Every structure is written in structure tokens, then in C-alpha cells.
Amino acid sequence: MTSLTRPVAIAGVGYSDLSRKGEPQPNSLAIAAAKAALSDAGLPATEVDGIFEYKFGPESPGAQDMARLLGIPDLAAFADIMASNPSGLGGVLAGVMAVASGACETVLVFRCLTRTAGHQGGVASGPDQITGRDQFLTPYGYLGGILVNLALKKRRWMDEHGRPEEDFGRIAVNARRWSALNPRAVLRETMTMEDYLSSRMVVDPLRVLDCDYPVNGAVATLITTAERAKNLRQPAVLVEAMSYATGRGADWVFDVDFLYGGMFECAERLWQRSALTLNDVDVAQVYDGFTPVTVAWLEALGACGRGEFGDWVGDGSRLGPGGDFPLNTAGGQLAEGRLHGIGFLNEAVLQLRGQAERRQVAGARVALVASGVYPQCGAMVLTAS
């Protein structure tokens, strides 16, 4: 079953090398990931007639640039999707819709990030006085960037539900359990809860180990029709359902639901469109740009109720290797590196193909992917063919 106009499949996945140092050129990273995805599917670049990419600015080449660099003669559908979308997964969702609608037949989606050109956290000076509209937004972290906003969300969740920081630490510690099994991950050292609780505060109570790890790297995905995918190199992974949501208010500061934004609406829409439920999911890949985001997504998706994550997750072992709810099996952005949404999708594809090597979840047939933050939500259910 699919709610799409015609069945769509993920046919190829690719990565560039991931690095923590140096200044590689974005074009080189993006081309490496794209060529890897094309090779994975067994398709020449000339077969691609759609390109979608997500970007903040100079950290990534544009869709038309990539077409020229890869020698693609013409594009029937393309877009450079800027920051107001479900992170890098926004490009994938747009690509799925383009193929499902018949606008094009084969779509390349990519996300490229570099530590020097990308949108990274940092310290900046500000004005001594704030007036006008901004005086009402600054107390909510608007001018302080996403770190202030996420610190407010973490504090509010803990205070509303009477829960300790350790609940968020379970997400961070779990990332390292999985990344230790992933040779591509940039952070593979074991982490303990003591390490988490002693890590540096960025904006109280948000710790540095609550935040994803910036890398130089690119990731790419190839999308085509389910019919065409049958004749390609890899087992097809089918898109069973997908959804977007903004939630009421659609605002980072004054969203009606400050802790969840559109996450509950996105999850409800996803399950309404799917023949499957959360109980059918074998492996979950859930956005972890910040640990409060992951906690909110898991509650919204139905793993537990609002404020119940701490009781549900217990000591965290259920999320790790051998657990009953394998989560972010490549290490996520907290440990594999900040690949910004598409990395979660590619890991889900590898799991459903049975190609995740040491981190493989036995018998995985259904995967859940959820990406983005608060008013910028997107989710997918994928199945093995």
C-alpha cells in the first residue's frame, strides 16, 4: 500500500568521506556522494532528470551546478530548498513527490556541509540595547540562535514533567553505542552518563553533548519509480508513506505547542497514510541535531505519551544494539556526524537491504525516518521490497 500517486523507491545511497579537519571544497564532497549513489544503483548520471538539494548557502553547490558538474543534459524538475524545511529530508520528500507525480523519473537528492562554509554554531557579539519587534523575541532565544531556543525547550520539558537531565543523556550515550560499530562515524569513543553530565554547558541547560557534531561531508540519495528500481543493482526500498507538518503557529518562538511544534501533526498524518503502525517498525532513524528534538519526536510518534520518555526509555538499553527499539543505528548526527537529515534516510535504506554490517538489525523490514524541528517537520515509512 502507498498513498503516493505511483509507487516510489530509494534506489541508491552514497557518502563522501567525512572529516573533522581541513577545508575540502563543497563541490568535491557533493560530487563524491552523488557518484557513490549512482554507482550504488548502477545508473549513469545521464539517467537523472531531477535534482533537489537542501542548503543554507555557500556550503553546498546548487542543483543546476550539480547537473553541469555531473554531465546531466537536462532537468525536468529541480529545486534548491532553503532552511525552512524538514532539514535535509526536505529534499528527499520533494524528490519523492516529483517521481510520484510523474514530473520526472529519477531524482538525485544531496546535502553537503563543510565546517568553514556551513551554518555552524558560534559566539557572536550583539547590540547593547534591543528595540522594536526584536525586544519581544530575544527572551525566547530569537537573536541568540537555535542553541538558546533548544536550551529553553530542554528546561521547560524537565520542569513540566519533573524529569532529570539523564533522560536526554540516554540519547547521547546511545549514539556512541551505535557509532562504535560504524567505521564511517567521526566520533566512535565510548561515552558514559558521567561524561554527558560533566560536559560543558553551551546555554544552560543545553550541553555540548546534547548537540550534533559538525563535519565536512556530503550524502546523496537516488529516487526512482518502484517499477524501474526492480531492474537496478540494489534491492529496492519502497516509500510506504510520507508526511509534512508545521503545526499551528508555524513559528520557532511563538508556536502554539512550544515543545513539539508540528511533530504530533506530522506523526498523525504519517500513520493515517500508512498501512503500518509504530509497532511494525523494526528500526527508527530520528533527527538528533539536539537531544531535546529526539525526545520530542519519540513522544510525538507514539513511542510514549507527552512527558513519558524518561519512564519509557529506562536505562536506554532498548535503543541500542540488541534492544527492542533500535534508534539511530549509524550513530546519528551526534556521533556519525552532522549530515542533516539525509544521513538518517540512507541508514534506514542500508538496514532494510541488510547491508549495515556490524550494526545490522536482524530481520529489519520496516523503517521509520523523522527529520526536522518544531515548525519544520517531515517523516517517512520505508519498507523492504
Side-chain angles (χ1 to χ4, degrees):
M1 172 184 173
T2 178
S3 60
L4 301 174
T5 308
R6 60 176 178 170
V8 175
I10 310 299
V13 299
Y15 299 82
S16 72
D17 290 336
L18 308 183
S19 64
R20 300 166 66 177
K21 298 179 180 179
E23 299 183 13
Q25 291 298 309
N27 284 4
S28 298
L29 294 171
I31 290 170
K35 287 185 174 180
L38 289 162
S39 175
D40 187 51
L43 276 174
T46 52
E47 294 291 311
V48 172
D49 61 350
I51 297 180
F52 294 87
E53 63 104 10
Y54 180 85
K55 68 193 306 179
F56 289 127
E59 83 280 9
S60 179
Q64 294 165 332
D65 297 324
M66 278 294 284
R68 184 177 67 256
L69 292 167
L70 292 171
I72 296 169
D74 182 44
L75 292 176
F78 56 93
D80 299 304
I81 299 171
M82 301 303 281
S84 58
N85 223 260
S87 186
L89 193 68
V92 175
L93 297 174
V96 169
M97 290 188 293
V99 172
S101 70
C104 55
E105 296 298 310
T106 302
V107 166
L108 173 69
V109 180
F110 68 95
R111 178 69 173 115
C112 181
L113 286 158
T114 64
R115 298 190 68 168
T116 54
H119 190 76
Q120 310 295 358
V123 177
S125 60
D128 295 329
Q129 293 185 337
I130 299 172
T131 60
R133 171 179 178 267
D134 290 341
Q135 67 183 300
F136 303 105
L137 302 177
T138 302
Y140 296 91
Y142 184 75
L143 296 182
I146 193 171
L147 297 175
V148 177
N149 190 275
L150 266 295
L152 287 168
K153 293 181 191 297
K154 181 180 178 182
R155 173 66 69 194
R156 172 130 166 220
W157 189 89
M158 289 193 295
D159 287 353
E160 278 196 9
H161 305 299
R163 296 297 308 184
E165 271 198 278
E166 283 85 345
D167 291 349
F168 299 93
R170 306 293 181 206
I171 301 294
V173 171
N174 177 68
R176 299 295 185 92
R177 291 195 187 106
W178 286 109
S179 68
L181 306 176
N182 180 7
R184 187 172 52 248
V186 295
L187 296 177
R188 302 183 64 196
E189 303 84 1
T190 300
M191 182 200 298
T192 66
M193 185 60 71
E194 290 70 27
D195 294 329
Y196 171 79
L197 294 173
S198 63
S199 65
R200 175 173 58 88
M201 285 289 184
V202 180
V203 181
D204 190 11
L206 194 73
R207 298 181 178 275
V208 68
L209 292 181
D210 284 313
C211 307
D212 57 16
Y213 194 87
V215 295
N216 302 307
V219 60
T221 302
L222 206 65
I223 304 165
T224 190
T225 64
E227 185 64 28
R228 190 180 194 197
K230 291 178 183 177
N231 299 315
L232 298 181
R233 180 170 291 164
Q234 300 291 350
V237 170
L238 304 178
V239 179
E240 207 273 340
M242 56 167 278
S243 65
Y244 289 89
T246 61
R248 292 175 57 212
D251 187 86
W252 276 85
V253 174
F254 296 120
D255 206 314
V256 172
D257 193 338
F258 181 70
L259 285 180
Y260 301 93
M263 291 177 180
F264 274 87
E265 290 85 348
C266 189
E268 181 180 6
R269 194 166 288 138
L270 181 71
W271 298 127
Q272 286 175 346
R273 293 174 177 175
S274 176
L276 304 169
T277 71
L278 189 65
N279 291 332
D280 298 306
V281 171
D282 299 307
V283 60
Q285 313 293 341
V286 178
Y287 195 82
D288 64 350
F290 304 91
T291 61
V293 177
T294 317
V295 170
W297 262 122
L298 290 171
E299 292 182 350
L301 288 162
C304 52
R306 289 179 184 249
E308 296 177 357
F309 172 78
D311 290 332
W312 173 81
V313 77
D315 66 359
S317 59
R318 69 184 310 169
L319 306 179
D324 65 353
F325 198 92
L327 177 73
N328 294 350
T329 53
Q333 299 188 146
L334 293 170
E336 182 181 36
R338 186 183 188 220
L339 296 175
H340 223 194
I342 299 181
F344 296 107
L345 175 80
N346 279 12
E347 175 66 11
V349 170
L350 292 174
Q351 288 285 345
L352 296 184
R353 288 183 187 170
Q355 297 172 353
E357 299 177 334
R358 293 177 61 207
R359 62 190 188 278
Q360 180 65 49
V361 174
R365 303 289 298 172
V366 178
L368 170 66
V369 181
S371 182
V373 282
Y374 309 113
Q376 302 170 197
C377 297
M380 302 176 73
V381 176
L382 306 174
T383 62
S385 56

